[in-house]
Amino acid sequence: MFIELVKSIALLLAMCYLYGLGDRLHQPIAKKTFSGLLFGGICVVGMHTPLVLGPGVVIDARSVVLGMAGLFGGPFVAGVAATMASVARVWIGGVGVPVGVSVIVLCTAMGLIYRRVHNEALLNVTPLNLAGFGLFIHLASVVVLQFLPQETAQNFNKHLAALYVITFTMATILFGLLLRDLEIHLSAQRSLKETAARLNAITHAIPDVLLILDEQGRYIEVITPENTPSMTVSAQIIGKRMHDVIPTPQADRLLTLIRDTLVSGHMHCVEYEIQTSRGSRHFEGRTQPLGILVNGFSTVIFLARDITERKQSETALRESELRFRSLLRHVPSISVQGYRDDGTTTYWNKASERLYGYLEQEALGRNMLDLIIPTSMHEVVRQNMQQIFSFGQPIPSGEFQLQHKDGSRVDVFSSHTLIEVPGQPSEIFCIDIDITRSKAAENEARYLAFYDALTGLPNRRLLMERLQQAIVNNTESRHSLAVMFVDLDNFKTLNDTRGHAVGDLLLQHVAERLRNGVREQDIVARLGGDEFVVILEDLTGNAIEAAADVRQLGETILAQLRQPYSLAKQNHYFSASIGASILDDPKVSPDEVLQQADMAMYRAKDKGRNTLCFFNPEMQQAMNRRALLETELHNGLRERQFRLLYQAQIDRDGHVIGAEVLVRWHHPTHGLVAPSEFIPVAEESGLILSLGNWIMEEALHQQARWRLDPQLRTLNLSINVSSRQLLHENFIPQTIALLENTGADPKRIKLEITESFLLQSVDGAATTMSALQAYGLEFSLDDFGTGYSSLSYLKRLPLFEIKIDQDFVRGILQDANDALIAQSIIKLAISLGLHVIAEGVETSEHYLALLDYGCPAFQGYFFARPIALQDFELHVAASNAKHVC
């Protein structure tokens, strides 16, 4: 009987070997199925070689097998094994079938319970625990066996029970430990296999070459990335020494590195260059002791990374940095300085030396406030520096007046940027461009625009500005204000007999006498030619007393002007006629005041000259017509009394390139009303919005029709736009709607604005113009040079074209100042990339002079008068035919 039990144990040991073979299956369900079949098969075999206790009663090792199936295999494996065992037991038959199946179920269930407790880390698989588990299930099996027939049960209890419990408990311990160790072994094999697979994938995925070298420099193993030339070489060099593969100097160096790594036990790095099939390549090598001996020699892992591209990038970066530093250092016109948050100077290029006068050695280390910042700007600069360094808030770029070493001021356009390099203090770099010349040019242009170059007196535009301010001051102070219009008598005679040079000399003397003859707060201006204006402010008393003071001062001026003039070594005598107007209406405009004084001056000339006359109510009659015009203007708009005329614009070759649309009023009673009469009235009354919209719509409809005519489709159409139109809130959508409704080409439309209105709202104008420019429209600045000309307008506004005022054009042949201004405007426009057109060209002499100045386009009576649409189109056709012939 003992021998039969030992056979069962041997069968269990054989099963352990077969169980290990099942781990080679890859699919989890296949492994479990195999294990279940194995456990069940062992049970079946054991039942066919059992210890027979009696007819139909067998004793075998199924309790051990099924308990282990539950513990190590889990529910699926245990279920398969238990099913096979139950089927086999039923197949064998006999009185012990119910008890045998019960033992099968009991042992399987106890094995699964043990597995559950083990998985929850409450009970480990140890010899002691296995002993307890085996003792428990076999004692339980003995209890179940008591349900056999009484005689059989007594026989078992007497002869086999103790041996059964002891033997199979020991078998449980042995079988459990074997399966545990087998599980651990198989798990370790799987981990090693997975680790090896990962390492293999990693080593083949990295772009580096992985070498295993021994202390003699011999290649033990070479692992290279797939699809690289090195793969074909790796098999050829295994077993060779480095000195057989690479040049001796590199081999000696790398061999020293390997031995140093083995001695120190730590990783070492090296960069080296070798010749390969792809030319000279740079590598970065890293060595790490491998910790094993190969053929009796210590080994290292050598990781070689191709860093040629990185080296090339570093070289390119260094070269780029060198070029950039050289550029910053030697760029001739851009000053670059660097400063820390406390103002300490850290960088100072050559241009900074020239701009501010400090050598690099003098500037570095000093505070910017002591170098180039005027005292008045210290606090502002400190605040700006704090904002940019503390909060990263940029300092707005702009024009500044900084300080030279000699104390003089330097005009610059300055930009600033914060540079932050990790591990280094932050720095701000200032980029300054010397704009001294451009500021001087701007000042000169401003001077030419606001001052008379001959006499140095304010010109008409500045006069109007000063007069407007004087009217405001007079209203607030409740003092009286007077304007005197001074015109020399018979000045033309002097010009005709002695020439313009002598005439200019006389005007200079007159200007000096006028300045000396008035009070310090009074203003003397030259309108042009021999016309001067004097503004008398802060006159005390009422209008009658003020008039008496004006008459006294006027008589003094007349007396001074009658004094002899020494002109070109000859004495000349001249007189003047003066018209005066006392401001008694605070709502009167500067133009009206000047007009009143002008009318009074002509009255003085009518009285025989060399006298002074005051403006009187009779002169107001001419102004009443202006008021009447406003009423009639309403009727004219309602009854469509306005017509559009077209004045051709010509290029240097005489081709018609476009036209300016000009509006005319055909009054049913007064006939043709000049635009100079009704346009100002329309502006003041607000009717300019309706009139301007009608002009715009008519002009755009006409341009749309031109688009269909091959001879006219390329013509540009210039449309005058008033300030009230341009600044109106609905101007942008109305204009875009008109373009879409009419089908006009926006690229052929130029909107003309006068520079005089820019004083009202430059920012508003710029916003409107930019919005319409984005839609394709272009803008032309009309009457340039006569208003508030400023280079800043040309920079801030999206202009396409400027038009030289006809006053300058007409005077270029007689007045050197007008010629100089015209040339300056043309050169300025061309340098800024703007188109320029001269208007008011009335003679061939003017045309030829402007050609000589480089003017590219013209407009004026010399080429064509403003004419009706049909006549204009015929004129274009004739011009085209002429140039074709």
Side-chain angles (χ1 to χ4, degrees):
M1 179 175 57
F2 176 76
I3 297 302
E4 297 299 329
L5 295 177
V6 171
K7 288 181 181 180
S8 298
I9 294 174
L11 192 60
L12 295 178
L13 296 177
M15 193 203 77
C16 290
Y17 173 75
L18 296 175
Y19 182 75
L21 294 178
D23 191 66
R24 297 181 182 180
L25 299 175
H26 298 289
Q27 295 297 327
I29 188 65
K31 290 182 181 180
K32 291 182 178 180
T33 303
F34 178 82
S35 299
L37 295 174
L38 181 61
F39 278 105
I42 295 297
C43 291
V44 173
V45 172
M47 290 181 196
H48 284 81
T49 58
L51 174 64
V52 179
L53 188 59
V57 179
V58 295
I59 301 297
D60 55 59
R62 82 187 78 155
S63 57
V64 178
V65 175
L66 293 174
M68 294 300 102
L71 174 59
F72 291 101
F76 183 82
V77 174
V80 172
T83 301
M84 289 180 64
S86 298
V87 171
R89 184 65 190 89
V90 171
W91 179 265
I92 293 172
V95 296
V97 170
V99 174
V101 173
S102 298
V103 170
I104 291 172
V105 173
L106 172 67
C107 295
T108 302
M110 296 306 297
L112 291 173
I113 292 172
Y114 192 177
R115 178 184 179 86
R116 176 68 179 274
V117 174
H118 172 64
N119 289 340
E120 293 179 359
L122 299 177
L123 197 64
N124 293 326
V125 180
T126 63
L128 182 60
N129 292 336
L130 287 172
F133 174 71
L135 182 61
F136 178 79
I137 63 173
H138 289 98
L139 287 176
S141 297
V142 169
V143 173
V144 174
L145 290 173
Q146 300 307 309
F147 292 95
L148 290 170
Q150 184 174 6
E151 182 181 353
T152 303
Q154 289 177 353
N155 185 32
F156 172 78
N157 292 336
K158 180 178 180 182
H159 300 286
L160 292 178
L163 184 59
Y164 173 83
V165 172
I166 295 171
T167 301
F168 285 123
T169 298
M170 297 299 295
T172 300
I173 297 172
L174 179 60
F175 193 33
L177 291 177
L178 287 174
L179 289 177
R180 182 197 67 177
D181 292 343
L182 183 60
E183 284 283 338
I184 295 173
H185 175 70
L186 293 176
S187 177
Q189 280 188 332
R190 285 192 295 269
S191 297
L192 288 174
K193 187 176 180 180
E194 292 172 358
T195 301
R198 285 195 297 269
L199 290 176
N200 184 61
I202 291 172
T203 54
H204 284 82
I206 61 176
D208 305 328
V209 178
L210 184 63
L211 308 172
I212 298 179
L213 301 164
D214 64 16
E215 59 187 271
Q216 300 298 317
R218 194 177 308 278
Y219 294 93
I220 305 301
E221 188 173 352
V222 179
I223 301 175
T224 61
E226 295 184 0
N227 299 323
T228 64
S230 300
M231 287 191 68
T232 58
V233 179
S234 60
Q236 301 172 8
I237 65 174
I238 293 177
K240 294 183 179 180
R241 297 180 69 252
M242 287 189 295
H243 289 75
D244 301 328
V245 178
I246 60 177
T248 300
Q250 286 92 342
D252 290 340
R253 184 182 178 196
L254 295 179
L255 186 58
T256 301
L257 176 72
I258 292 171
R259 291 173 177 173
D260 290 343
T261 302
L262 292 172
V263 171
S264 65
H266 300 295
M267 183 180 70
H268 283 62
C269 298
V270 67
E271 290 187 6
Y272 58 96
E273 180 182 3
I274 61 174
Q275 291 294 327
T276 70
S277 58
R278 293 185 293 169
S280 179
R281 308 294 291 181
H282 292 269
F283 288 87
E284 178 186 67
R286 295 173 181 268
T287 57
Q288 178 73 31
L290 188 57
I292 62 173
L293 298 178
V294 177
N295 298 326
F297 296 107
S298 299
T299 55
V300 298
I301 293 178
F302 188 98
L303 192 67
R305 172 168 294 178
D306 190 339
I307 58 171
T308 305
E309 285 74 17
R310 190 185 78 188
K311 283 291 187 180
Q312 292 172 347
S313 298
E314 291 174 352
T315 301
L317 181 61
R318 284 194 298 269
E319 293 174 353
S320 176
E321 182 179 1
L322 181 61
R323 286 194 297 269
F324 182 70
R325 285 183 176 273
S326 179
L327 175 65
L328 286 184
R329 177 68 180 158
H330 300 288
V331 63
S333 58
I334 300 178
S335 167
V336 181
Q337 320 108 49
Y339 303 102
R340 295 239 171 89
D341 57 354
D342 60 356
T344 301
T345 305
T346 59
Y347 186 79
W348 193 266
N349 71 347
K350 289 290 185 182
S352 300
E353 294 181 348
R354 288 189 292 272
L355 183 59
Y356 296 112
Y358 293 97
L359 296 177
E360 182 181 18
Q361 304 90 296
E362 297 177 285
L364 293 180
R366 293 184 61 182
N367 194 283
M368 64 184 300
L369 299 178
D370 302 329
L371 288 174
I372 62 174
I373 307 300
T375 305
S376 59
M377 295 176 59
H378 280 194
E379 187 58 34
V380 174
V381 171
R382 287 193 187 97
Q383 293 176 1
N384 288 338
M385 292 285 283
Q386 182 179 3
Q387 288 293 325
I388 193 169
F389 277 103
S390 300
F391 308 107
Q393 181 176 338
I395 301 174
S397 301
E399 297 180 3
F400 299 93
Q401 197 172 67
L402 303 182
Q403 185 169 282
H404 192 271
K405 181 180 180 180
D406 60 12
S408 62
R409 293 294 185 262
V410 180
D411 290 306
V412 299
F413 185 87
S414 186
S415 303
H416 317 82
T417 184
L418 182 66
I419 303 298
E420 295 179 297
V421 178
Q424 297 184 18
S426 299
E427 292 178 283
I428 181 177
F429 276 81
C430 301
I431 302 172
D432 296 341
I433 300 175
D434 187 0
I435 59 172
T436 303
R437 292 184 180 179
S438 62
K439 290 293 289 186
E442 183 177 351
N443 292 335
E444 181 181 0
R446 184 182 295 109
Y447 180 84
L448 291 174
F450 286 93
Y451 288 89
D452 176 49
L454 178 64
T455 63
L457 296 177
N459 63 10
R460 180 184 184 88
R461 294 305 169 187
L462 184 56
L463 166 68
M464 301 305 288
E465 181 180 333
R466 297 281 177 85
L467 181 55
Q468 177 65 54
Q469 188 59 47
I471 293 173
V472 174
N473 295 340
N474 174 71
T475 303
E476 295 176 351
S477 64
R478 298 185 179 180
H479 289 170
S480 295
L481 171 71
V483 174
M484 293 195 302
F485 200 108
V486 182
D487 185 89
L488 295 180
D489 298 329
N490 303 314
F491 175 71
K492 184 176 183 298
T493 303
L494 177 67
N495 269 343
D496 294 341
T497 57
R498 297 294 307 277
H500 291 287
V502 176
D504 290 345
L505 189 59
L506 173 63
L507 294 175
Q508 291 173 340
H509 283 289
V510 171
E512 183 178 1
R513 292 185 184 186
L514 288 174
R515 277 195 297 259
N516 294 333
V518 299
R519 301 168 301 171
E520 183 177 354
Q521 68 267 33
D522 297 333
I523 299 171
V524 180
R526 181 191 176 200
L527 287 185
D530 60 343
E531 295 178 338
F532 297 86
V533 172
V534 179
I535 302 176
L536 305 173
E537 293 189 79
D538 297 330
L539 296 174
T540 58
N542 54 31
I544 298 176
E545 294 174 341
D549 292 339
V550 171
R551 177 169 293 280
Q552 181 179 358
L553 181 59
E555 295 295 343
T556 301
I557 291 175
L558 288 173
Q560 291 179 347
L561 296 180
R562 287 194 296 267
Q563 297 300 314
Y565 298 89
S566 178
L567 306 175
K569 299 181 181 181
Q570 292 186 22
N571 287 337
H572 292 266
Y573 293 87
F574 285 90
S575 63
S577 299
I578 302 178
S581 175
I582 307 296
L583 180 65
D584 54 5
D585 182 3
K587 297 182 180 179
V588 71
S589 68
D591 286 324
E592 291 173 330
V593 175
L594 202 58
Q595 185 180 21
Q596 292 173 357
D598 185 38
M599 287 189 288
M601 184 272 296
Y602 279 106
R603 178 63 60 87
K605 284 192 177 292
D606 292 341
K607 287 186 176 183
R609 307 183 180 185
N610 190 28
T611 188
L612 180 146
C613 284
F614 284 90
F615 173 79
N616 56 50
E618 288 77 15
M619 301 177 188
Q620 191 68 39
Q621 291 179 359
M623 299 183 66
N624 291 340
R625 172 172 167 77
R626 182 184 182 90
L628 180 61
L629 276 178
E630 182 176 345
T631 301
E632 295 179 335
L633 196 57
H634 283 276
N635 297 330
L637 285 170
R638 185 173 60 254
E639 297 174 5
R640 303 181 70 84
Q641 297 172 0
F642 293 92
R643 300 291 182 271
L644 294 184
L645 301 182
Y646 298 80
Q647 186 173 25
Q649 295 175 339
I650 312 298
D651 64 10
R652 291 177 63 89
D653 299 323
H655 296 95
V656 178
I657 58 175
E660 179 180 359
V661 178
L662 301 171
V663 64
R664 296 293 184 265
W665 184 9
H666 292 272
H667 194 280
T669 303
H670 305 300
L672 188 65
V673 182
S676 58
E677 290 188 53
F678 69 84
I679 291 296
V681 176
E683 287 275 7
E684 294 175 8
S685 63
L687 292 174
I688 193 66
L689 296 177
S690 300
L691 178 60
N693 191 60
W694 176 81
I695 295 172
M696 181 79 74
E697 184 175 7
E698 291 292 316
L700 292 181
H701 272 297
Q702 185 54 50
Q703 200 284 325
R705 288 189 286 270
W706 284 354
R707 295 184 70 178
L708 305 177
D709 190 327
Q711 289 190 335
L712 303 173
R713 66 176 57 174
T714 60
L715 294 182
N716 296 318
L717 197 58
S718 298
I719 306 172
N720 289 283
V721 178
S722 72
S723 59
R724 295 192 65 167
Q725 280 181 274
L726 192 68
L727 297 178
H728 194 272
E729 60 182 358
N730 292 328
F731 182 68
I732 295 176
Q734 284 180 350
T735 303
I736 294 175
L738 284 175
L739 285 169
E740 294 176 347
N741 294 336
T742 61
D745 183 1
K747 296 181 181 178
R748 294 295 177 185
I749 302 298
K750 289 187 292 185
L751 302 184
E752 292 192 10
I753 60 174
T754 58
E755 62 174 322
S756 58
F757 98 91
L758 294 177
L759 189 64
Q760 303 175 26
S761 177
V762 179
D763 293 335
T767 301
T768 301
M769 292 167 68
S770 297
L772 292 176
Q773 185 192 51
Y775 203 78
L777 293 173
E778 295 174 339
F779 285 87
S780 176
L781 186 60
D782 198 9
D783 299 336
F784 184 76
T786 61
Y788 302 92
S789 305
S790 173
L791 293 180
S792 62
Y793 293 158
L794 301 183
K795 292 191 297 182
R796 295 169 60 186
L797 297 177
L799 294 171
F800 167 77
E801 176 184 82
I802 59 177
K803 300 183 74 173
I804 307 175
D805 184 69
Q806 57 185 347
D807 289 342
F808 294 132
V809 173
R810 291 169 182 166
I812 61 175
L813 300 180
Q814 296 83 22
D815 192 327
N817 293 324
D818 287 345
L820 177 61
I821 291 174
Q823 293 181 61
S824 299
I825 293 174
I826 293 170
K827 292 179 180 179
L828 177 64
I830 294 174
S831 65
L832 293 176
L834 298 176
H835 190 259
V836 62
I837 185 169
E839 57 183 352
V841 182
E842 298 184 353
T843 67
S844 61
E845 290 81 4
H846 289 90
Y847 172 54
L848 294 175
L850 289 166
L851 277 176
D852 188 54
Y853 296 163
C855 186
F858 314 89
Q859 179 181 341
Y861 283 6
F862 176 67
F863 304 101
R865 291 176 175 272
I867 53 181
L869 173 63
Q870 184 177 2
D871 297 332
F872 172 76
E873 292 178 346
L874 292 174
H875 174 74
V876 174
S879 175
N880 291 341
K882 175 182 177 182
H883 284 90
V884 169
C885 295

